[in-house]
Amino acid sequence: MFTQLLIAALVAGSIYALIALGLNLIYGTMRLLNVAHGEVVMIGAYVAYWGISLLSVGPLVSALVAISLAAALGALIYLGLFRRAMRSAEFMERIEGNSLLVFFGVSVILQNVTSLLFTPNQRGYRYQDEIVHVIGATVPVNKLIVLAIAGAVCGAAVLFFRVSTLGLAIKALIQQREAAALVGIPLARVELTTLCLGFAAAGLAGVLVSMTEEISPFMGFPLTVTAFVVVILGGLGNVLGSLIGGLLLGVLETFGVALTAPSYRSIMIYVVFIAVLLLRPQGLLGAGKSRT
Amino acid sequence: MTARVGRAAGIVTAAAVLAIALPFVANGYFVGVGFTLLVWIALTESWIVISGMTGYISLGHVVFVGIGAYIAAMTWLVLPIWAILPLAGLAAAALAMFVGYPCLRVRGPYFVILTFGISELVKYIVVNIEAALAVSGRVLFGAPGVETLYLMALALAWASVIIALVVRDSRFGSALRAIRDNEEAAETIGVAIGRFKAAAFVLSSVIPGMVGALMIMRSTYFDPQIFSPQTSVLIVTMAVIGGSDRPLGPALGVGFLILLQELLWANLPQLYMIVVGALLIAVVVWLPGGIYVRLQQMITAAGR
């Protein structure tokens, strides 16, 4: 029973971590609150669904398309909406509120365009759903695939921010924006890349979600909320924090629901969320200084 | 009260007095649209008392609507309507007082996310209470007709516009704007920021509580889904599209969106939402200040 729950917690947690990673990168580098993040996940899920039902292409292949499409959307949004606006002092003064509104508009458009094109109905497909036994637990293969891919990408992300030049440049931007510009980091290019990377991760997460769950045009909103909870747990702008936060939330949710009842799931998540915001707004892992 | 605000308040009051005539001259459809319009004006104008003036963007305003509606549903047929409405407003104010102090200590994106989280938490608590009581939706028997509700909504909309006008013009309003522009500086020169923010928060919660009671009397049904986050978001959208810095801006945004809703909602709800999304983006990116400010500029330019 314990291993069963633990694997379920890890699967959920790795997906949460992957979604939250992109959200946190985008906030960290540009102070943009991307409330359309869940909709990018939704688009990835639809790419996988149409890939397998129309073209009989497996989700692992569609993932490449989903990633490119999501990244392209990120680039479009940055170049079309934010590049110019972010030069205006008036916009930047309330960048968080303004970006929240812009992304909310984006999310509403994406939801309703998808709903117009593909109907608002729930859809799903079967993929690798035979059951296997792993260390005493019974798990469908697709969940193991999800865990392996999400885990590998999160691990690669940690490495990326440790060793690669681009990763270090992004981290520099998160920590000290002005200083990063002074030492010659091309802000606009790094920002564009970060937005594309964050969106790409969300697109991939969508493919993974569609392998185990039903999808719909309105599936994104709860995912956005969960991702925000994870980011707050780990600390806004803290990349490693959001990975740990994702796993933590996966464990909390799975074991919490197993110990109480599924109807308490949302209450539990929001209580943790509000408690962290009020008591440690810098995140569980954040340093002592609170950032306002 | 300065002369300018006195004049604005006079115009608003005259418009409200004229609007009393609508249920006597128009058919039920238009009275229903009028009701919707007034309810949203009441909501957005009360929202700007906290969010427009202090810059603390609340994304959880629906929690006050929901709590007012819940109190009204529970006291329905137990108390008379004239007692239910103030009670709903008081319940919302009590909730605002309870959550206001701790919430307003955090700023910027944290406050936005926190208000959203609290409204969702209260929603799920109500869902679980209703499930524990084995109640699935409460039907309100004997609710007043749309004409009566319209007049009550008119009173609330009028009150919330007047409150927004008067607060903006008062010392209290100047203190709130000082908090928005530079909280540390405001504190240094002696503005009691904690108390002012909490007072604005409580003040902005009373009318939404009463609106919640009216909304369920109109639908004759209470369901925890009235705590929908979409309502909070629509409040913000309407205020921003109209222009949240001016007291009359939000009303303009409401009028614009409700008109659009009436034109598109019945046949093309998805298209309506797409247009709302596009408008929101366009206003924030290209029209900071909202359509009210732009209209004013155009009128001034035309007058020259």
Side-chain angles (χ1 to χ4, degrees):
Chain A
M1 186 64 188
F2 178 76
T3 40
Q4 185 88 34
L5 286 177
L6 189 66
I7 292 179
L10 285 177
V11 171
S14 63
I15 290 264
Y16 293 163
L18 185 60
I19 300 175
L21 181 71
L23 189 72
N24 210 357
L25 274 180
I26 292 168
Y27 179 79
T29 48
M30 286 164 275
R31 295 286 175 272
L32 300 178
L33 285 172
N34 179 11
V35 286
H37 209 63
E39 274 64 47
V40 185
V41 177
M42 180 268 291
I43 289 176
Y46 268 89
V47 169
Y49 173 82
W50 289 118
I52 202 159
S53 22
L54 286 183
L55 308 168
S56 318
V57 175
L60 297 182
V61 180
S62 312
L64 296 175
V65 181
I67 289 172
S68 327
L69 195 68
L73 183 68
L76 193 74
I77 288 174
Y78 180 77
L79 298 174
L81 297 177
F82 285 110
R83 191 176 51 173
R84 220 184 58 115
M86 283 171 78
R87 278 198 225 114
S88 112
E90 199 182 353
F91 186 88
M92 292 301 282
E93 202 182 299
R94 298 195 202 167
I95 174 89
E96 279 132 352
N98 283 334
S99 65
L100 183 121
L101 294 169
V102 170
F103 276 120
F104 178 71
V106 171
S107 97
V108 166
I109 292 176
L110 292 177
Q111 281 171 8
N112 287 284
V113 168
T114 314
S115 168
L116 266 183
L117 288 176
F118 306 137
T119 75
N121 302 335
Q122 293 217 321
R123 299 161 181 274
Y125 59 88
R126 291 163 71 95
Y127 175 72
Q128 301 282 346
D129 53 357
E130 59 272 29
I131 306 284
V132 290
H133 295 269
V134 193
I135 41 172
T138 51
V139 199
V141 176
N142 55 26
K143 294 219 168 186
L144 292 177
I145 299 177
V146 168
L147 180 58
I149 296 180
V153 173
C154 289
V158 172
L159 267 184
F160 172 74
F161 287 106
R162 286 273 152 87
V163 296
S164 86
T165 321
L166 178 61
L168 291 171
I170 293 176
K171 240 164 93 174
L173 214 66
I174 293 176
Q175 285 162 358
Q176 275 288 342
R177 198 186 161 82
E178 285 78 20
L182 279 179
V183 297
I185 294 174
L187 287 191
R189 218 169 65 210
V190 175
E191 283 176 354
L192 174 63
T193 316
T194 313
L195 205 67
C196 291
L197 283 177
F199 271 52
L204 174 64
V207 174
L208 299 182
V209 169
S210 75
M211 284 157 58
T212 61
E213 277 167 45
E214 296 221 301
I215 66 172
S216 85
F218 302 98
M219 67 188 276
F221 180 69
L223 290 171
T224 305
V225 173
T226 316
F228 267 104
V229 178
V230 169
V231 167
I232 293 293
L233 277 178
L236 271 173
N238 184 337
V239 171
L240 190 63
S242 65
L243 297 186
I244 296 170
L247 290 178
L248 206 62
L249 191 70
V251 169
L252 210 73
E253 183 189 312
T254 314
F255 284 88
V257 165
L259 290 174
T260 57
S263 58
Y264 290 121
R265 177 190 174 270
S266 306
I267 292 194
M268 241 158 26
I269 288 186
Y270 282 110
V271 166
V272 171
F273 182 44
I274 292 168
V276 172
L277 268 173
L278 286 178
L279 302 174
R280 283 191 73 82
Q282 69 273 32
L284 292 176
L285 305 172
K289 109 182 150 73
S290 78
R291 220 190 33 228
T292 48
Chain B
M1 203 190 290
T2 59
R4 228 180 113 230
V5 172
R7 205 168 59 230
I11 294 170
V12 170
T13 308
V17 169
L18 276 181
I20 292 176
L22 186 80
F24 302 101
V25 295
N27 67 23
Y29 169 77
F30 288 103
V31 181
V33 175
F35 174 81
T36 313
L37 192 74
L38 292 169
V39 156
W40 284 101
I41 289 178
L43 289 177
T44 47
E45 293 286 351
S46 59
W47 178 86
I48 64 163
V49 170
I50 178 72
S51 299
M53 296 196 200
T54 67
Y56 277 72
I57 298 178
S58 162
L59 202 55
H61 231 54
V62 73
V63 76
F64 303 126
V65 177
I67 214 71
Y70 193 41
I71 293 292
M74 286 200 298
T75 53
W76 187 249
L77 295 184
V78 178
L79 295 175
I81 293 183
W82 57 262
I84 287 179
L85 273 184
L87 192 66
L90 272 181
L95 179 70
M97 226 177 279
F98 179 67
V99 299
Y101 259 110
C103 282
L104 290 156
R105 279 175 40 224
V106 299
R107 287 188 216 173
Y110 296 101
F111 181 77
V112 179
I113 301 171
L114 185 59
T115 50
F116 173 82
I118 284 178
S119 96
E120 285 288 277
L121 176 65
V122 173
K123 168 171 121 185
Y124 286 110
I125 290 175
V126 171
V127 167
N128 275 278
I129 291 175
E130 294 290 274
L133 296 173
V135 180
S136 58
R138 295 163 184 267
V139 180
L140 275 68
F141 294 104
V146 66
E147 287 80 11
T148 315
L149 292 175
Y150 170 89
L151 293 176
M152 292 189 203
L154 180 62
L156 290 183
W158 172 79
S160 67
V161 175
I162 296 295
I163 290 174
L165 279 169
V166 170
V167 166
R168 188 182 144 85
D169 195 48
S170 64
R171 277 176 63 86
F172 178 51
S174 313
L176 296 181
R177 278 200 301 282
I179 290 171
R180 180 181 73 189
D181 294 339
N182 191 334
E183 195 159 340
E184 280 79 16
E187 192 170 19
T188 313
I189 58 164
V191 176
I193 54 170
R195 230 181 312 146
F196 277 112
K197 286 190 293 189
F201 197 55
V202 172
L203 185 61
S204 77
S205 71
V206 177
I207 286 183
M210 295 200 259
V211 165
L214 286 190
M215 279 168 115
I216 58 162
M217 288 182 210
R218 173 83 172 112
S219 62
T220 66
Y221 189 75
F222 172 83
D223 180 297
Q225 289 313 317
I226 193 167
F227 284 90
S228 154
Q230 187 137 16
T231 306
S232 302
V233 170
L234 266 176
I235 293 175
V236 182
T237 308
M238 287 170 171
V240 167
I241 288 182
S244 60
D245 274 353
R246 309 293 159 92
L248 295 183
L252 201 66
V254 172
F256 194 58
L257 280 197
I258 297 293
L259 186 73
L260 204 66
Q261 183 180 333
E262 287 307 315
L263 290 176
L264 291 176
W265 184 259
N267 302 318
L268 299 159
Q270 286 131 337
L271 188 63
Y272 167 69
M273 290 308 287
I274 293 171
V275 174
V276 168
L279 268 176
L280 184 60
I281 296 174
V283 167
V284 175
V285 175
W286 291 289
L287 247 173
I291 46 180
Y292 185 80
V293 170
R294 180 53 60 97
L295 268 180
Q296 242 180 1
Q297 286 167 351
M298 276 159 59
I299 291 167
T300 331
R304 274 199 203 113

Short mmCIF file of all heavy atoms in Angstrom, two decimals, chain B residues 1-10 162 165-166 168-169:
data_model
loop_
_atom_site.label_atom_id
_atom_site.label_comp_id
_atom_site.label_asym_id
_atom_site.label_seq_id
_atom_site.Cartn_x
_atom_site.Cartn_y
_atom_site.Cartn_z
N MET B 1 -16.55 67.55 0.82
CA MET B 1 -16.74 67.16 -0.58
C MET B 1 -16.52 68.38 -1.48
O MET B 1 -17.15 69.40 -1.28
CB MET B 1 -18.16 66.63 -0.76
CG MET B 1 -18.31 65.72 -1.95
SD MET B 1 -20.02 65.35 -2.32
CE MET B 1 -20.48 64.31 -0.95
N THR B 2 -15.63 68.23 -2.46
CA THR B 2 -15.38 69.37 -3.34
C THR B 2 -16.52 69.52 -4.34
O THR B 2 -17.33 68.61 -4.51
CB THR B 2 -14.08 69.18 -4.12
OG1 THR B 2 -14.20 67.99 -4.87
CG2 THR B 2 -12.89 69.08 -3.21
N ALA B 3 -16.53 70.68 -4.99
CA ALA B 3 -17.62 70.97 -5.92
C ALA B 3 -17.66 69.96 -7.07
O ALA B 3 -18.72 69.53 -7.52
CB ALA B 3 -17.46 72.38 -6.46
N ARG B 4 -16.44 69.54 -7.52
CA ARG B 4 -16.39 68.64 -8.68
C ARG B 4 -17.04 67.30 -8.35
O ARG B 4 -17.82 66.75 -9.13
CB ARG B 4 -14.92 68.43 -9.09
CG ARG B 4 -14.73 68.61 -10.57
CD ARG B 4 -13.28 68.40 -10.96
NE ARG B 4 -13.19 67.22 -11.77
CZ ARG B 4 -12.33 66.25 -11.55
NH1 ARG B 4 -11.51 66.30 -10.54
NH2 ARG B 4 -12.30 65.20 -12.34
N VAL B 5 -16.71 66.78 -7.16
CA VAL B 5 -17.29 65.51 -6.76
C VAL B 5 -18.78 65.68 -6.51
O VAL B 5 -19.59 64.81 -6.85
CB VAL B 5 -16.58 64.97 -5.50
CG1 VAL B 5 -17.31 63.75 -4.98
CG2 VAL B 5 -15.16 64.63 -5.84
N GLY B 6 -19.14 66.85 -5.92
CA GLY B 6 -20.56 67.10 -5.69
C GLY B 6 -21.33 67.04 -6.99
O GLY B 6 -22.40 66.44 -7.07
N ARG B 7 -20.73 67.63 -8.06
CA ARG B 7 -21.42 67.63 -9.35
C ARG B 7 -21.52 66.20 -9.90
O ARG B 7 -22.58 65.78 -10.35
CB ARG B 7 -20.68 68.54 -10.33
CG ARG B 7 -21.60 69.05 -11.41
CD ARG B 7 -20.97 70.18 -12.21
NE ARG B 7 -19.74 69.76 -12.84
CZ ARG B 7 -18.58 70.44 -12.77
NH1 ARG B 7 -18.50 71.55 -12.09
NH2 ARG B 7 -17.51 70.01 -13.40
N ALA B 8 -20.40 65.46 -9.83
CA ALA B 8 -20.41 64.08 -10.32
C ALA B 8 -21.45 63.27 -9.57
O ALA B 8 -22.23 62.52 -10.17
CB ALA B 8 -19.03 63.45 -10.16
N ALA B 9 -21.49 63.44 -8.23
CA ALA B 9 -22.46 62.69 -7.43
C ALA B 9 -23.88 63.08 -7.83
O ALA B 9 -24.77 62.23 -7.89
CB ALA B 9 -22.22 62.95 -5.95
N GLY B 10 -24.06 64.37 -8.11
CA GLY B 10 -25.38 64.84 -8.53
C GLY B 10 -25.81 64.19 -9.83
O GLY B 10 -26.95 63.73 -9.96
N ILE B 162 -21.32 56.19 -5.48
CA ILE B 162 -21.16 57.34 -4.57
C ILE B 162 -20.01 57.09 -3.59
O ILE B 162 -19.18 57.97 -3.34
CB ILE B 162 -22.48 57.62 -3.81
CG1 ILE B 162 -23.58 58.03 -4.80
CG2 ILE B 162 -22.28 58.70 -2.75
CD1 ILE B 162 -23.35 59.34 -5.52
N LEU B 165 -16.77 57.62 -5.37
CA LEU B 165 -16.52 59.05 -5.61
C LEU B 165 -16.08 59.76 -4.35
O LEU B 165 -15.10 60.52 -4.35
CB LEU B 165 -17.80 59.72 -6.14
CG LEU B 165 -18.12 59.55 -7.63
CD1 LEU B 165 -19.53 60.05 -7.91
CD2 LEU B 165 -17.11 60.33 -8.46
N VAL B 166 -16.81 59.50 -3.26
CA VAL B 166 -16.53 60.22 -2.02
C VAL B 166 -15.19 59.79 -1.43
O VAL B 166 -14.39 60.62 -1.02
CB VAL B 166 -17.68 60.00 -1.01
CG1 VAL B 166 -17.29 60.53 0.36
CG2 VAL B 166 -18.95 60.68 -1.51
N ARG B 168 -12.62 58.58 -2.97
CA ARG B 168 -11.53 59.07 -3.80
C ARG B 168 -11.18 60.52 -3.46
O ARG B 168 -10.03 60.93 -3.50
CB ARG B 168 -11.92 58.95 -5.27
CG ARG B 168 -10.80 59.25 -6.24
CD ARG B 168 -11.34 59.15 -7.64
NE ARG B 168 -10.72 60.14 -8.49
CZ ARG B 168 -9.55 59.96 -9.09
NH1 ARG B 168 -8.92 58.83 -8.98
NH2 ARG B 168 -9.04 60.91 -9.84
N ASP B 169 -12.22 61.27 -3.11
CA ASP B 169 -12.03 62.69 -2.89
C ASP B 169 -11.61 63.03 -1.46
O ASP B 169 -11.24 64.16 -1.17
CB ASP B 169 -13.35 63.40 -3.22
CG ASP B 169 -13.16 64.88 -3.36
OD1 ASP B 169 -12.21 65.25 -4.08
OD2 ASP B 169 -13.92 65.65 -2.75
#
